[in-house]
Amino acid sequence: MAYNFKQIGKKWQKKWEEKKVFEAKEKGKKFYVLEMYPYPSGTGLHMGHAFNYTIGDVYARFKRMQGFNVLHPMGYDSFGLPAENAAIKAKSHPRVFTDEAIKSYIKQQKELGFSYDWSRILQSHDENYYKWNQWIFLKMFEKGLAYKKKAVVNYCRKCDTVLANEQVHNGKCWRHTDTEIEVKHLEQWFLKITDYAEELLKDVDSLDWPEKIKTMQRNWIGKSEGAEAVFEINKKKFFVFTTRIDTLFGVTFLAISPQYIDLEHLITKEKKKEVEKFLKKIKSTKQEDIDKMEKSGVFTGSYAIHPLTKERIPVWIANFVLAEYGSGIVMGVPSHDKRDFEFARKYKLPIKIVIRPENEKIQSLVMDEAYTGSGKLINSLEFNGLFSEEAKEHITKVLREKKLGGKKIHYKLRDWLISRQRYWGTPIPMLYDEKGNIVPVPESELPVKLPNDVKFGKGNPLETSKIFLTVKKNGKIYRRETDTMDTFFDSSWYFLRFIDSKNQGKMFDMKKADYWMPVDFYTGGAEHACMHLIYARFFTKVLRDLNLVGKKLNEPFKRLFNQGMVHAEDGFVMSKSKGNVIDPMEMAEKYGADTLRLFLVSIASPDSDFSWNQEGIEGMHRFVRKLFEYFSKVKTGKSNPRTENKIHGTIKNVTEEIENLKYNLAIIKIRNLFEYLHEREISRKDLETCIKMLAPFTPHVAEEFWEKLGNKNFVSFAEWPKYDEKKISKEFEKEEKDVEDLIGDVLNVLRIVREREKKPKKLFVYTLPKEKEIYANNIDEIERRTNLQTKVFAVNEKGKHDPDGKSKKAKPGKPAIYLE
RNA sequence: GCGGGAAUGCCGGAGUGGUCAAACGGGAUGCGCUCAAGACGCAUUAGCUCAGUGCUUGCAGAGGUUCGAAUCCUCUUUCCCGCACCA
């Protein structure tokens, strides 16, 4: 029988779909498997998708067979810039592109045999979905978690919109790595994720996630404990954050960010020209160059009053101070901070030493670098003699008493800017009355739908829509908010919508969420470490506090798995411009989905990067074909203990390897098993076990032979085999090794003999009497491997064929051999 | 600069103290099957030695710990990833 993978693939995909076998109900012990839902791009599924979904699907199928009630849904992150841009280019509508793309994604995913519950499908651009974005936004607004403010924001010219901090990488746009981010001061919508900074940080510890991602999140949240001190400038109070309040008496200048919002007020008339010149220069420098640039600054002309000494401290603008961190103002302590030191040197600002390292004396005149360690305080009035740590406490206390500062915990995490000046996203459900006051859209008027009468081109398309822009209600005229939401808003709770995706009256049913949440196993790329994964955690906590999910649900994703990157055969990232892209569907067409799936997860450990290998997939195809032939021909009978040992050992290993996401090793164990099984008698039960173990990886072939064996149900729901420890015996392993050694010896001799131009046909093995059975039991194997007709004798047997008297050489565990 | 990870045979890639000249796959080579094979089966794939089970070298480099190291420690080199003037 020829292996017709196309026919088998279609047959089973159709059956799964018709019988709705993967549709999940709330019943039994649940297990929620999820792969990060894709952005449906016009180019279809790429190899990374296929890899990711295979990893999830194998796990989902495995858990299902273990008796769990598995939820394994799929949806589409369908709002976003690429569709809008494609639409502009083609003078069409983003919806057209998106719907088209989703259609082809669904088709392709079905062809790869993924066991999704298609009844729960969702798409973010569906008004039934984004309605709930708007709804939850209103709830957040009520709670003060959504707010509008003027801020220093990042703007990408190519996206033509502002971006969240998380979407700026190295001063560039995350989607346009060649585009500099521009800094603007605009009024924008934010979500108050900083309210949850501490909890987000704390709960990282409890997650079963890759350490790498956890570290990245901790760093991103960036907690630092320090103190705040008030400096007065022109009778106004300015807060300055520092982790080194013990160096407070070493302050010889204040440095303020060039992007500081109220900068103007600090600049004196005399300095205005000079400052403007400096700011102009900064503005014209690329972010990238600023990073490399030497420190520079300009004096504002203003002076600050030191909170404790009441000295006059010059206020400088300095290019190394970040507007978005701390208060945008730092205290300059050249003696004990590297950057301040550099800056002070350049502008000849005084350097005052206030910390003396133990066992060492430093003098200002010879100081050629900042001392950043801790030590004993000097030149610090009543704090002299204290060590850094205690000085921090004392100084903070004094500041607090004088109401000039105090303890302060600072986070690097900023509030999440969600406004986007683009069309293809969820409209922010807000109105402005004639006076410009913010008026939320009432719940009953949701969803605020995206209008169709828009012109794509320059600026925000929503501003070109007449029906959208103006709202008349009760004789009043309102202007609608034209900003849409960041698409990460959509993906921050989609895993909850899957639980109840058709619910018209609610975001989702709380009881159902209680049943299914958290996601037990979540896979996706590591690139979302500080975006999606933080936002989704934040949302979950907000929903919990709004009583929309149970109080116990603190975290959405229990276990996270990051798959490796699939590279092209040349080792580079697959890209159209390089022309090295391998299309998964082409491979499935050529070799079948089973082969592709099996290959993807067997080439390397799923968490490590790997390069595509064309010969590798062909090798895998040969294996699948062999499997097919084996199952086509095999007749069931009885398994001997040796076979049982092998089967049960394999069950044990494979189960463990799958659980640990070492699919590659599981597949090797399976391959070894089939290698062994070749032409050996096997019981029906054991044969079924073999099929079951294959089912998560190669579901189509498995279903086919499961059916051929006469089973009426699906192997997809068959019970995962359990191993019987009693059937696994070390003795068989030893026996196998002994036989293996013998074969090795024979082959060795055979090689030598062949060099002497002899061609032996027969093999005689002489064993110790009690060992005879070991070898006699394995004559088939010995013959197959050596291609010699084999006879086994015990050394004490009479009438044995032994012309050279080799049998004398037999030792325990090492039989003697003779070839002729 | 800081943080994290990695370096294994022709290639991909297992392997975290002895069972390791190192799983498994791919490639190459040889043999068998055959009219012939790109199909299948078997073998070889560090070097030497050999009617046998032995020796030497060996897991980026250099040291060290140990009876014993691919595996543990130290330093060096290279590569990848994340953060990056974070006050």
Side-chain angles (χ1 to χ4, degrees):
Chain A
M1 193 180 9
Y3 172 35
N4 188 338
F5 52 79
K6 279 184 198 169
Q7 190 199 323
I8 294 173
K10 279 204 187 106
K11 171 179 165 185
W12 290 101
Q13 284 157 22
K14 201 173 150 212
K15 285 202 183 203
W16 293 329
E17 187 157 356
E18 280 172 2
K19 298 254 163 87
K20 305 181 173 184
V21 291
F22 301 122
E23 291 187 9
K25 305 273 177 307
E26 290 73 33
K27 205 173 80 189
K29 211 173 164 214
K30 71 98 186 182
F31 202 91
Y32 189 174
V33 178
L34 186 64
E35 296 113 49
M36 289 180 188
Y37 76 156
Y39 174 78
S41 83
T43 50
L45 237 53
H46 58 66
M47 202 53 89
H49 288 127
F51 184 41
N52 184 206
Y53 306 148
T54 301
I55 291 169
D57 193 55
V58 168
Y59 206 74
R61 287 176 175 277
F62 172 66
K63 284 288 156 191
R64 214 175 267 129
M65 291 176 75
Q66 282 191 327
F68 287 93
N69 181 31
V70 172
L71 174 58
H72 188 214
M74 180 45 65
Y76 303 92
D77 188 11
S78 47
F79 268 141
L81 212 45
E84 189 169 338
N85 288 340
I88 294 169
K89 220 173 166 185
K91 302 213 156 100
S92 167
H93 194 283
R95 188 171 288 116
V96 176
F97 281 86
T98 306
D99 289 344
E100 196 62 32
I102 289 177
K103 241 199 225 160
S104 97
Y105 266 60
I106 294 173
K107 181 170 173 279
Q108 297 182 355
Q109 286 167 323
K110 286 186 177 171
E111 280 172 16
L112 292 178
F114 299 132
S115 60
Y116 296 128
D117 176 350
W118 286 108
S119 72
R120 294 168 184 259
I121 187 170
L122 65 79
Q123 326 177 351
S124 343
H125 77 292
D126 186 341
E127 60 188 52
N128 283 320
Y129 185 79
Y130 72 68
K131 172 183 176 179
W132 300 106
N133 280 346
Q134 295 171 339
W135 185 82
I136 193 67
F137 182 87
L138 292 176
K139 294 283 158 216
M140 289 183 178
F141 181 74
E142 277 170 31
K143 288 268 171 191
L145 288 167
Y147 66 95
K148 198 175 190 187
K149 77 162 183 202
K150 190 176 179 182
V152 180
V153 297
N154 304 299
Y155 174 86
C156 170
R157 187 181 291 279
K158 277 210 182 151
C159 294
D160 203 5
T161 181
V162 298
L163 300 171
N165 274 21
E166 288 78 5
Q167 289 159 348
V168 180
H169 297 155
N170 289 326
K172 306 209 169 158
C173 171
W174 67 302
R175 309 197 88 123
H176 304 103
T177 47
D178 56 343
T179 307
E180 285 297 326
I181 291 300
E182 293 169 33
V183 174
K184 295 198 171 186
H185 292 176
L186 293 170
E187 211 170 293
Q188 300 285 318
W189 286 99
F190 289 85
L191 297 187
K192 219 166 179 189
I193 191 170
T194 50
D195 269 11
Y196 287 84
E198 184 59 37
E199 197 191 342
L200 286 167
L201 178 68
K202 193 186 82 218
D203 288 352
V204 165
D205 297 341
S206 68
L207 299 169
D208 181 11
W209 287 17
E211 272 314 312
K212 186 185 159 192
I213 303 292
K214 297 213 278 188
T215 308
M216 280 167 74
Q217 291 219 346
R218 287 190 193 105
N219 292 342
W220 188 259
I221 295 166
K223 180 178 183 173
S224 58
E225 293 180 57
E228 213 170 33
V230 175
F231 285 77
E232 210 180 281
I233 311 174
N234 305 335
K235 306 251 157 91
K236 273 185 77 184
K237 287 177 172 179
F238 288 82
F239 290 87
V240 174
F241 176 72
T242 177
T243 53
R244 288 300 302 272
I245 198 71
D246 53 320
T247 64
L248 184 61
F249 292 88
V251 176
T252 57
F253 64 96
L254 284 194
I256 190 160
S257 167
Q259 277 96 30
Y260 193 81
I261 286 212
D262 295 322
L263 195 57
E264 292 165 37
H265 305 301
L266 299 175
I267 299 154
T268 57
K269 274 181 198 158
E270 304 81 59
K271 289 281 170 186
K272 203 159 185 177
K273 269 198 174 161
E274 209 181 322
V275 170
E276 271 168 10
K277 205 174 134 198
F278 174 78
L279 291 177
K280 214 171 171 184
K281 200 177 130 204
I282 293 261
K283 234 182 173 175
S284 64
T285 336
K286 289 181 181 171
Q287 183 64 39
E288 205 177 357
D289 296 334
I290 288 175
D291 292 344
K292 288 176 208 148
M293 216 163 66
E294 141 172 36
K295 304 204 173 0
S296 65
V298 63
F299 180 42
T300 59
S302 296
Y303 288 87
I305 308 296
H306 189 285
L308 298 183
T309 65
K310 306 294 175 196
E311 280 170 302
R312 264 160 57 94
I313 311 268
V315 179
W316 284 66
I317 298 171
N319 66 343
F320 65 90
V321 182
L322 306 170
E324 63 272 18
Y325 188 80
S327 55
I329 312 175
V330 302
M331 51 187 228
V333 186
S335 50
H336 306 294
D337 182 278
K338 244 174 106 180
R339 295 152 304 184
D340 299 347
F341 184 82
E342 256 178 74
F343 192 78
R345 265 280 168 96
K346 182 163 172 180
Y347 294 103
K348 309 223 159 42
L349 293 163
I351 298 175
K352 186 178 163 197
I353 294 167
V354 290
I355 305 283
R356 187 157 61 198
E358 290 171 76
N359 314 323
E360 230 182 294
K361 279 189 182 169
I362 41 174
Q363 300 168 338
S364 70
L365 292 175
V366 294
M367 199 177 196
D368 54 2
E369 62 175 351
Y371 172 69
T372 56
S374 55
K376 209 180 222 176
L377 266 71
I378 52 173
N379 299 326
S380 303
L381 301 180
E382 72 261 38
F383 305 102
N384 280 341
L386 293 175
F387 285 97
S388 293
E389 283 316 306
E390 37 182 356
K392 278 182 190 172
E393 268 176 50
H394 282 103
I395 295 173
T396 308
K397 199 176 147 214
V398 170
L399 285 171
R400 198 181 57 230
E401 281 164 5
K402 297 192 172 175
K403 300 212 162 93
L404 289 169
K407 214 171 183 173
K408 173 91 180 169
I409 292 172
H410 194 269
Y411 299 91
K412 207 180 79 162
L413 184 72
R414 306 281 76 204
D415 275 345
W416 175 14
L417 195 173
I418 60 152
S419 296
R420 296 293 179 274
Q421 291 74 47
R422 297 296 301 218
Y423 171 78
W424 199 228
T426 306
I428 292 175
M430 287 291 162
L431 301 169
Y432 301 94
D433 66 15
E434 281 152 330
K435 286 178 191 153
N437 295 316
I438 295 171
V439 181
V441 172
E443 254 181 60
S444 57
E445 288 173 25
L446 297 182
V448 176
K449 293 185 197 174
L450 280 172
N452 285 318
D453 64 328
V454 290
K455 286 197 191 85
F456 295 108
K458 273 187 187 161
N460 185 347
L462 284 175
E463 285 173 0
T464 67
S465 166
K466 288 200 177 100
I467 34 172
F468 186 80
L469 219 47
T470 318
V471 183
K472 282 181 197 160
K473 269 204 297 192
N474 310 326
K476 284 185 188 167
I477 295 176
Y478 299 90
R479 183 173 59 80
R480 213 182 265 290
E481 172 63 80
T482 54
D483 281 357
T484 52
M485 297 181 194
D486 181 2
T487 54
F488 278 105
F489 197 105
D490 311 343
S491 56
S492 293
W493 68 280
Y494 78 106
F495 45 90
L496 282 155
R497 184 67 180 173
F498 276 133
I499 282 166
D500 199 11
S501 67
K502 295 194 202 85
N503 199 326
Q504 296 284 321
K506 284 189 210 164
M507 220 175 160
F508 50 83
D509 182 83
M510 185 169 166
K511 269 195 195 139
K512 287 182 182 172
D514 258 354
Y515 174 77
W516 287 112
M517 287 300 284
V519 174
D520 295 280
F521 183 74
Y522 194 36
T523 60
E527 67 275 13
H528 288 109
C530 294
M531 298 194 281
H532 164 59
L533 289 170
I534 286 193
Y535 298 146
R537 294 182 58 218
F538 161 60
F539 259 61
T540 304
K541 292 173 191 298
V542 170
L543 292 170
R544 175 202 61 196
D545 292 346
L546 291 171
N547 291 319
L548 293 164
V549 297
K551 283 274 163 245
K552 282 184 201 150
L553 188 71
N554 294 313
E555 287 290 336
F557 314 124
K558 199 167 150 196
R559 182 178 180 190
L560 175 74
F561 183 81
N562 292 125
Q563 82 273 18
M565 296 256 289
V566 187
H567 292 160
E569 201 145 14
D570 54 16
F572 294 104
V573 177
M574 287 190 191
S575 78
K576 263 186 274 173
S577 58
K578 281 213 175 75
N580 58 5
V581 176
I582 307 276
D583 175 8
M585 300 322 292
E586 232 171 78
M587 292 299 117
E589 173 74 17
K590 199 167 169 190
Y591 304 105
D594 283 336
T595 296
L596 176 65
R597 294 167 57 111
L598 197 57
F599 175 64
L600 280 172
V601 295
S602 69
I603 185 163
S605 178
D607 58 358
S608 62
D609 296 355
F610 69 92
S611 296
W612 183 261
N613 180 295
Q614 194 54 35
E615 276 150 348
I617 192 169
E618 276 167 22
M620 191 50 82
H621 192 226
R622 280 201 293 273
F623 173 68
V624 177
R625 228 167 31 222
K626 271 188 244 177
L627 276 180
F628 190 89
E629 275 159 29
Y630 172 78
F631 285 122
S632 304
K633 285 185 202 147
V634 71
K635 289 195 178 67
T636 56
K638 228 182 137 188
S639 296
N640 66 29
R642 235 165 256 103
T643 302
E644 287 187 327
N645 167 62
K646 203 83 190 172
I647 298 260
H648 286 263
T650 307
I651 296 171
K652 185 178 179 185
N653 288 328
V654 168
T655 308
E656 279 169 13
E657 305 291 18
I658 294 180
E659 195 54 69
N660 296 328
L661 271 297
K662 294 279 184 185
Y663 296 167
N664 54 329
L665 301 181
I667 291 162
I668 287 166
K669 305 280 155 57
I670 292 173
R671 286 184 84 127
N672 287 341
L673 176 66
F674 280 97
E675 179 84 3
Y676 171 89
L677 251 29
H678 186 75
E679 286 182 7
R680 276 190 169 85
E681 204 174 288
I682 184 169
S683 72
R684 184 194 157 102
K685 183 167 178 282
D686 288 342
L687 191 67
E688 287 188 346
T689 295
C690 296
I691 295 174
K692 286 178 187 173
M693 285 194 286
L694 279 168
F697 299 103
T698 58
H700 309 95
V701 172
E703 290 287 10
E704 182 70 13
F705 287 101
W706 185 251
E707 184 190 54
K708 283 250 154 66
L709 279 177
N711 290 298
K712 296 277 180 256
N713 55 355
F714 289 92
V715 73
S716 301
F717 289 87
E719 193 191 344
W720 185 257
K722 291 196 175 75
Y723 63 90
D724 181 351
E725 196 73 59
K726 277 177 279 178
K727 297 206 164 155
I728 305 173
S729 160
K730 284 251 162 75
E731 258 174 59
F732 292 119
E733 273 166 45
K734 186 178 179 302
E735 179 176 315
E736 201 176 311
K737 192 176 178 297
D738 286 345
V739 172
E740 203 54 44
D741 285 351
L742 174 74
I743 292 171
D745 288 347
V746 173
L747 290 171
N748 194 13
V749 176
L750 202 54
R751 199 164 6 101
I752 295 157
V753 170
R754 283 216 181 104
E755 274 166 25
R756 296 176 188 173
E757 314 254 323
K758 285 182 195 163
K759 286 186 179 168
K761 288 258 166 27
K762 290 181 184 169
L763 164 66
F764 300 93
V765 179
Y766 313 100
T767 76
L768 299 186
K770 60 175 176 184
E771 289 177 354
K772 182 181 172 185
E773 210 183 318
I774 295 175
Y775 301 94
N777 280 338
N778 288 284
I779 285 188
D780 288 352
E781 177 71 7
I782 297 166
E783 290 195 331
R784 189 175 69 90
R785 298 274 298 277
T786 60
N787 208 12
L788 298 168
Q789 209 185 347
T790 304
K791 272 193 177 143
V792 180
F793 300 105
V795 285
N796 58 356
E797 253 172 87
K798 281 180 188 156
K800 61 178 183 289
H801 181 76
D802 184 17
D804 269 13
K806 296 276 184 203
S807 62
K808 281 178 284 187
K809 291 180 119 181
K811 288 176 199 160
K814 280 287 169 197
I817 53 185
Y818 173 67
L819 303 185
E820 73 170 25

